[in-house]
């Protein structure tokens, strides 16, 4: 029987973040790759904030998240809530919970979306309140839902800061892409990782040093030029150029798709799928965050496309389309700084058109139609031999896309598509499913390589000799000659042939 | 409460040339998800487009037999139970009707119309409500197009029920191939007719609920608030738990039917509006910040109504197996209700199996508590409403 509390329930409202908090409070954040997180640290540090990324989420975090919030969360919610709570608990042991509540605040992306992403805070708040850390401050970057962060005046998520953050994330994407295209072929184990660390530190410094004007035009001009970051990328390239590789090793290419958090992070939340696949002999084609940013712009554009009768619809639509163009132009500029090695971002209209017969592009939540669009794109455009789809247990939108994929599989029966349900604690089951398809992907890659040798009229040793003669830089645009595999495309290029 | 949606739709528009249209067209609509809150809308909508009322056919309510017979091998994914059931409804409409349908109409509901519309951030559907039809369709085309094989045209537009202008564009585009010559104005008019009928039905349900609550309060009889998604009224999804409670003599009122009478709402929320803690009778921002989902918003609002209304002595929460939207709301809903002493019970993880054992035990428990405590609960809630702190204190002490 309940006892009347005499006080109506109130949703959590964080204390404001004051200007004096800026001096003493460390902003915590997480949920991205270590590269992006390091660069965001640079962005915050350069803007005068103390900031640090949370440690990579682990299985212990998953269990903690499950234990403290209402049952039935999607696994990314459990991982991220548990990750924050465990960090705070460890810190509390060392310095007391009051000190922790005063010294840290958590900053994360909110959302006006329909899935739980927009309601993450509820799980965080419940978990923290169950531990007596009610006064801990959680801030959600969401314009439609002011959360009190701005109230104290100390946290200024200005366009200048956000634009630096976006460039930092894009630069991290570029570094990750290069890293994943070198590591499987490196001749000295660990060389790529070392280069990546050095590259990220170059960029960290550039993000920290970047001085962005406060006015809108100044921000736009800086974003387009951002000389410091571009120069840092060129320096980063030199670190990668020092990695010796043999790209004629035949490896299946596996495209990672799926729910945003799971496809992005590299660790326990997705069974360390990236490193597992590499260990199993694959080349991983990771999922850059920039596609997601472009998707958000596309989704917002659609809003105005559908409502031409609303005031300023044409203007807003034009502005969003321009923003998308600028985003991709900038990303291409960053790719060029890496001699064109990072993959080109698939265009949103392309993904939408590919997905259209199976999944409507107007449906929101999660990755929307992108999950389907990306799978078909990777398969039909020879971008990968296999697609590993990371599907979080308990995810609402993702289950729907997976259902619609049944129709896609009917139309593309030869697509190697592994939907891996990620619960956080059923690794063997998911990885063995992946293993089965990977075996088939390997044999397809080998068969494709044989066809490439045949088409190019070269033997493997001739191809190797010719590759050595060309003495091209390691970081350079790789040919695309109708094969999915890196080695096959290279052979075709050496022989001037196409598949 | 009628929600004004269109100003000029009923103004005279030239009537469409319907000679190309099939006068005996039969439209099948799966009785799934939010169809439980909008069936009158769709029936009247299609009738206005010239379909005979008897030719707007709904699949039957969800049942074990329906699922076993029609969804075998079609369900593509493991997800919440209400969405899993879509395949059974599709199958029934495709192959289980004596008189087949020509069109299977299964809208993908992106946003819903809600009386909370202007007081919340958005009125979106759950991602699975939106995309459920897409997912279910996958199971019917994976190995050949079952719709074409049954001679049925599958029409599944994205619909924003909360925006009439956009809705008219979406429906005109999707239905023009079925209703040749369909114009935007004709669709707009049909939408207005649809909402008119739905509003009348809703107003009636709310009126009945109002009377029941008034009577309960007058007679000091406890009523129970049923909190769930609209489709928990589906006997196969909610398992008619509310009927078991009614059978014990307690009137049960669904949150969806709560009265919106201004005088009553002023009694419940007026003080908070006057002291500035609420912006309006429909403001939920102090208890639920992420007010994006229409059904969730209404559920939270209903919990708050139930927490305050003196006749509502207990609330029963329904939630389906693997429901993602409900998960973050469990604690807030319970806390909202319990803060004013309303008894709170829940049936979670409802799936295909009727939880007869737990329903019986829970029903007995609810009856037991209501018999013993409902008078005090109701008195205390009344005292809380009138601001009689002393009476609240005394009643709470006797409680302990
Ligand atoms: S997309 Fe899925 S996994 Fe991600 S937050 Fe939403 S419900 Fe959770
Ligand atoms: S609200 Fe819950 S039960 Fe309803 S469709 Fe969404 S996830 Fe399923």
């Amino acid at each position: 029987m309940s006892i009347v509390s005499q006080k109506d329930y109130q949703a959590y409202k964080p204390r404001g973040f004051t200007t004096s908090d800026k001096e003493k409070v460390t902003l915590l954040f997480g949920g991205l790759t270590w590269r992006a997180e390091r660069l965001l640290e640079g962005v915050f540090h350069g803007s005068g904030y103390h900031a640090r990324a949370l440690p990579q989420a682990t299985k212990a975090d998953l269990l903690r998240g499950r234990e403290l919030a209402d049952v039935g969360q999607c696994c990314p919610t459990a991982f991220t809530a548990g990750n924050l709570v465990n960090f705070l608990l460890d810190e509390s042991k060392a310095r007391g919970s009051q000190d922790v509540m005063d010294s840290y605040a958590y900053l994360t992306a909110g959302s006006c979306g329909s899935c739980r992403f927009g309601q993450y805070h509820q799980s965080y708040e419940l978990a923290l309140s169950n531990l007596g850390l009610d006064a801990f401050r959680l801030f959600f970057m969401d314009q439609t839902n002011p959360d009190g962060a701005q109230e104290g005046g100390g946290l200024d998520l200005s366009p200048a800061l956000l634009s630096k953050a976006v460039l930092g994330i894009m630069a991290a994407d570029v570094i990750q892409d290069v890293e994943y295209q070198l590591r499987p072929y490196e001749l000295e184990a660990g060389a790529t990782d070392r280069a990546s660390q050095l590259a990220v530190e170059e960029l960290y410094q550039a993000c920290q040093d970047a001085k962005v004007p406060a006015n809108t035009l100044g921000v736009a001009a800086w974003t387009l030029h951002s000389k410091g970051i571009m120069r840092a990328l060129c320096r980063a390239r030199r670190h990668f150029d020092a990695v010796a590789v043999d790209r004629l090793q035949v490896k299946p290419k596996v495209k990672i798709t799926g729910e945003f958090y799971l496809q992005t992070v590299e660790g326990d939340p997705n069974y360390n799928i990236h490193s597992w696949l590499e260990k199993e002999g694959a080349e991983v084609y990771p999922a850059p965050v920039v596609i997601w940013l472009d998707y958000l712009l596309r989704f917002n554009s659609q809003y105005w496309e559908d409502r031409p009768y609303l005031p300023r619809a044409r203007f807003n639509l034009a502005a969003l389309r321009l923003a998308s163009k600028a985003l991709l132009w900038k990303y291409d500029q960053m790719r060029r700084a890496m001699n064109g090695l990072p993959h080109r971002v698939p265009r949103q209209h392309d993904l939408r058109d590919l997905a259209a017969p199976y999944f409507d592009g107007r449906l929101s939540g999660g990755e929307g139609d992108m999950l389907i669009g990306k799978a078909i794109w990777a398969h039909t455009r020879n971008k990968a031999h296999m697609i590993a789809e990371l599907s979080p247990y308990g995810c609402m939108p993702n289950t729907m896309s997976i259902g619609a994929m049944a129709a896609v599989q009917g139309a593309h029966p030869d697509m190697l598509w592994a939907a891996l349900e990620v619960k956080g604690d059923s690794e063997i089951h998911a990885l063995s499913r992946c293993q089965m398809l990977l075996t088939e992907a390997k044999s397809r890659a080998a068969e494709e390589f044989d066809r490439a040798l045949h088409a190019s009229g070269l033997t493997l040793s001739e191809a190797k000799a010719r590759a050595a003669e060309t003495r091209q830089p390691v970081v350079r645009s790789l040919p695309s000659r109708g094969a999915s595999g890196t080695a096959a495309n290279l052979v075709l290029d050496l022989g001037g042939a196409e598949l | 409460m009628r929600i004004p949606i269109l100003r000029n739709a009923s103004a005279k528009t030239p009537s469409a040339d319907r000679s190309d249209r099939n006068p005996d067209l039969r439209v099948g609509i799966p009785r799934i998800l939010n169809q439980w809150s909008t069936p009158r809308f769709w029936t009247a909508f299609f009738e206005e487009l010239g379909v005979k009322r008897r030719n707007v056919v709904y699949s039957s309510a969800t049942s074990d037999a329906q699922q076993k017979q029609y969804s075998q091998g079609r369900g593509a994914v493991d997800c919440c139970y209400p969405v899993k059931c879509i395949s059974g409804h599709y199958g029934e409409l495709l192959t289980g009707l004596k008189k087949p349908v020509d069109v299977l109409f299964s809208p993908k509901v992106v946003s819903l119309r809600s009386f909370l519309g202007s007081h919340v951030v958005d009125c979106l559907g759950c991602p699975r409500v939106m995309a459920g039809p897409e997912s279910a369709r996958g199971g019917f085309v994976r190995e050949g197009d079952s719709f074409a094989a049954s001679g049925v045209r599958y029409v599944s537009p994205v619909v924003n029920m909360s925006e009439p202008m956009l809705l008219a564009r979406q429906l005109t585009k999707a239905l023009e191939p079925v209703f040749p010559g369909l114009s935007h104005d004709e669709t707009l008019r049909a939408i207005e007719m649809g909402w008119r009928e739905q509003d009348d039905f809703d107003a009636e349900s709310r009126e009945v609920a109002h009377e029941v609550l008034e009577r309960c309060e007058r007679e000091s009889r406890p009523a129970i608030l049923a909190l769930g998604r609209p489709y928990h009224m589906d006997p196969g999804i909610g398992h008619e738990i509310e009927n078991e409670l009614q059978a014990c003599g307690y009137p049960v009122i669904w949150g969806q039917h709560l009265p919106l009478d201004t005088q009553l709402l002023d009694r419940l929320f007026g003080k908070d509006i006057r002291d500035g803690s609420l912006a309006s009778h429909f403001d939920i921002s102090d208890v639920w910040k992420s007010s994006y989902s229409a059904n969730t918003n209404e559920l939270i609002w209903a919990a708050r109504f139930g927490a305050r209304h003196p006749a509502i002595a207990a609330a029963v929460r329904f939630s389906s197996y693997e429901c993602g939207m409900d998960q973050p709301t469990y604690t807030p809903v319970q806390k909202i209700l319990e803060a004013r002493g309303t008894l709170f019970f829940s049936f979670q993880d409802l799936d295909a199996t009727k939880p007869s054992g737990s329903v019986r035990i829970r029903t007995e428990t609810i009856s037991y508590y209501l018999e013993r405590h409902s008078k005090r609960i109701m008195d205390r809630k009344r005292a809380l409403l009138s601001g009689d702190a002393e009476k609240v204190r005394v009643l709470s002490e006797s409680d302990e």
Side-chain angles (χ1 to χ4, degrees), chain A residues 1-14 69-74 77 110-116 118-119 121-123 125-126 129 140 142 144-147 303 305-310 356-360 362-365 393-407 409-411 421, chain B residues 76-79 83 108 110 121-122 124-128 130-132 134-135 137-139 141-142 156-158 160 163 165-167 169-170 272 285-290 292-293 296 304 308 321-325 327-332 335-336 338-343 348 369 373 377 380 384 389 392-393 396 399-400:
Chain A
M1 168 98 203
S2 54
I3 307 290
V4 185
S5 66
Q6 305 256 358
K7 227 173 151 242
D8 282 322
Y9 169 77
Q10 290 284 308
Y12 164 88
K13 191 171 188 298
D70 278 325
V71 287
Q73 304 147 303
C74 53
T77 321
S111 138
C112 50
S114 46
C115 81
R116 262 172 299 201
Q119 299 161 24
H121 63 89
Q122 200 67 40
S123 291
E125 289 155 24
L126 184 59
S129 118
F140 291 83
D142 180 358
T144 57
N145 189 13
D147 57 16
Y303 178 91
E305 265 168 34
D306 292 345
R307 296 163 179 82
Y309 46 84
L310 288 182
Y358 312 97
F359 204 86
D360 200 298
R362 260 73 180 164
L363 297 172
S364 68
Y393 170 73
C395 174
M396 293 180 281
N398 193 275
T399 40
M400 297 299 92
S401 322
I402 301 254
M405 275 302 289
Q409 285 178 300
E421 191 189 45
Chain B
V77 281
D78 192 23
C79 72
V83 167
K108 297 186 277 266
V110 165
V121 183
D122 214 335
L124 296 172
C126 157
R128 284 180 179 152
M130 292 183 199
E134 218 72 305
S135 171
R137 178 182 164 268
V141 296
R142 187 176 33 199
S156 178
V158 158
N160 288 68
E163 297 175 71
M165 278 297 278
L166 179 58
L167 181 61
R169 292 165 74 96
Q170 292 163 329
D272 304 71
S285 59
D286 59 328
V287 288
W288 187 246
K289 287 195 294 185
S290 3
Y292 306 112
S293 153
T296 302
R304 160 177 271 174
R308 287 165 190 238
Y321 167 71
E322 276 214 11
C323 174
M325 289 309 271
Q327 180 265 326
T329 69
Y330 291 141
T331 299
K335 285 192 173 169
I336 289 169
E338 290 187 341
R340 291 194 173 216
T342 313
L343 296 171
Q348 289 183 3
Y369 274 113
H373 301 291
I377 291 171
R380 191 169 48 196
L384 272 167
V392 173
R393 194 185 58 75
S396 299
D399 212 32
E400 288 159 35

Side-chain angles (χ1 to χ4, degrees), chain A residues 12-33:
Chain A
Y12 164 88
K13 191 171 188 298
R15 282 174 291 147
F17 190 91
T18 62
T19 35
S20 67
D21 281 335
K22 194 171 173 180
E23 309 293 317
K24 48 184 201 260
V25 175
T26 300
L27 294 171
L28 301 170
F29 60 93
L32 296 166
T33 65

Side-chain angles (χ1 to χ4, degrees), chain B residues 65-285:
Chain B
Q66 173 200 55
Q67 295 302 314
K68 281 197 180 115
Q69 189 172 353
Y70 300 114
S71 88
Q72 287 294 323
R74 302 291 193 182
V77 281
D78 192 23
C79 72
C80 62
Y81 186 62
V83 167
K84 224 187 238 180
C85 291
I86 300 178
S87 308
H89 288 265
Y90 274 25
E92 182 188 330
L93 289 172
L94 285 182
T95 58
L97 301 178
K98 277 197 192 114
K99 240 175 135 183
V101 292
D102 303 291
V103 173
L104 195 160
F105 180 74
S106 182
K108 297 186 277 266
V109 183
V110 165
S111 71
L112 291 147
R113 206 175 57 136
S114 169
F115 63 93
L116 296 177
S118 54
H119 307 268
V120 289
V121 183
D122 214 335
C123 290
L124 296 172
C126 157
R128 284 180 179 152
V129 165
M130 292 183 199
E134 218 72 305
S135 171
R137 178 182 164 268
F140 285 84
V141 296
R142 187 176 33 199
E143 283 145 21
D145 188 338
S146 308
F147 300 99
S150 302
V152 171
R153 186 198 286 262
Y154 180 68
V155 181
S156 178
V158 158
V159 292
N160 288 68
M161 306 292 281
S162 58
E163 297 175 71
M165 278 297 278
L166 179 58
L167 181 61
R169 292 165 74 96
Q170 292 163 329
L171 289 173
T172 307
K173 189 169 167 218
L175 291 170
E176 211 279 331
V178 181
F179 300 96
L182 179 66
S183 69
H184 182 77
D185 284 347
E186 195 184 355
T187 313
L188 262 182
R189 202 167 52 243
I191 290 173
E192 198 197 5
M193 290 304 146
W195 285 133
R196 217 174 258 186
E197 192 158 324
Q198 187 66 47
D199 285 347
D200 287 346
F201 172 79
D202 290 344
E204 234 171 80
S205 315
R206 292 188 192 280
E207 188 49 43
V208 172
H210 197 179
E211 281 164 23
V212 171
L213 286 174
E214 270 187 349
R215 200 169 59 242
C216 286
E217 202 179 344
R218 241 187 354 257
E219 297 169 4
S220 273
R221 247 182 94 193
I224 296 174
L225 174 66
L227 288 170
R229 309 260 155 195
Y231 32 96
H232 287 119
M233 295 180 212
D234 179 341
I237 305 281
H239 297 297
E240 302 179 287
I241 295 169
E242 73 278 17
N243 291 353
E244 313 256 346
L245 292 163
Q246 300 247 40
C248 297
Y250 303 109
V252 177
I253 292 164
W254 282 96
Q256 283 77 4
H257 301 151
L258 286 173
L260 303 178
D261 174 84
T262 309
Q263 221 180 332
L264 169 61
L265 297 188
D266 215 43
R267 183 178 164 223
L268 303 184
F269 305 114
K271 185 176 156 293
D272 304 71
I273 295 174
R274 284 186 290 279
D275 72 19
S277 29
L278 287 184
S280 75
H281 298 145
F282 303 112
D283 181 8
I284 54 168
S285 59

Side-chain angles (χ1 to χ4, degrees), chain A residues 223-288:
Chain A
T223 311
L224 291 177
H225 290 102
S226 42
K227 273 205 192 100
I229 291 183
M230 298 311 295
R231 284 196 188 125
L233 272 172
C234 294
R235 289 195 297 278
R237 187 186 68 221
R238 285 182 215 130
H239 295 297
F240 286 116
D241 263 333
V243 177
V245 293
D246 169 15
R247 287 196 168 104
L248 286 173
Q249 300 172 62
V250 182
K251 288 176 182 284
K253 208 183 262 188
V254 181
K255 174 84 189 102
I256 301 284
T257 66
E259 189 267 348
F260 177 77
Y261 175 75
L262 287 193
Q263 68 174 3
T264 304
V265 295
E266 296 154 313
D268 282 0
N270 56 16
Y271 302 137
N272 293 287
I273 191 80
H274 298 79
S275 58
W276 182 86
L277 282 164
E278 282 191 358
K279 271 193 212 101
E280 292 295 319
E283 177 189 335
V284 175
Y285 185 161

